[in-house]
Amino acid sequence: IWIVNPYGTLPKEGWRTYRSAMLAKALSTRGHSVTWWISNFEHRSKGYRASGHLTDPYFGDLVDIISLPVRSYSSNISLNRIRFEKSFF
């Protein structure tokens, strides 16, 4: 099962646990193979996280988290935000 959420926040990043994370964990604990696709640009802090395969203690080895490199933006309503969307998808 693929979960695609470019704006997702990993539980270890200090924000509340979002639905994407809860869904990924629930599905994986029921035996499904889950891959969560997320961007390497963290929407709330406007900072970067690592690209590639990531881990989070919340999931252990249950969920494969893949962080894709994207363009950054500083304003939620901007041309750079559109470029972010285009670079993720």
Side-chain angles (χ1 to χ4, degrees):
I1 296 174
W2 282 6
I3 297 175
V4 180
N5 183 355
Y7 303 103
T9 299
L10 298 174
K12 70 179 180 182
E13 293 175 333
W15 301 90
R16 68 177 174 83
T17 304
Y18 282 82
R19 287 183 294 253
S20 299
M22 290 185 279
L23 178 61
K25 188 170 186 176
L27 290 169
S28 64
T29 58
R30 286 166 178 79
H32 297 281
S33 175
V34 178
T35 300
W36 183 9
W37 299 88
I38 149 180
S39 73
N40 72 334
F41 183 72
E42 205 281 305
H43 172 72
R44 284 145 198 84
S45 68
K46 303 291 188 269
Y48 279 98
R49 62 172 68 94
S51 294
H53 290 269
L54 304 179
T55 60
D56 191 294
Y58 178 77
F59 303 112
D61 293 331
L62 296 174
V63 176
D64 188 22
I65 305 166
I66 301 175
S67 174
L68 301 175
V70 295
R71 297 181 65 146
S72 67
Y73 57 90
S74 58
S75 175
N76 290 341
I77 301 173
S78 65
L79 289 175
N80 283 337
R81 174 76 179 263
I82 295 169
R83 290 181 184 112
F84 162 87
E85 296 280 347
K86 188 174 179 180
S87 66
F88 184 83
F89 294 104

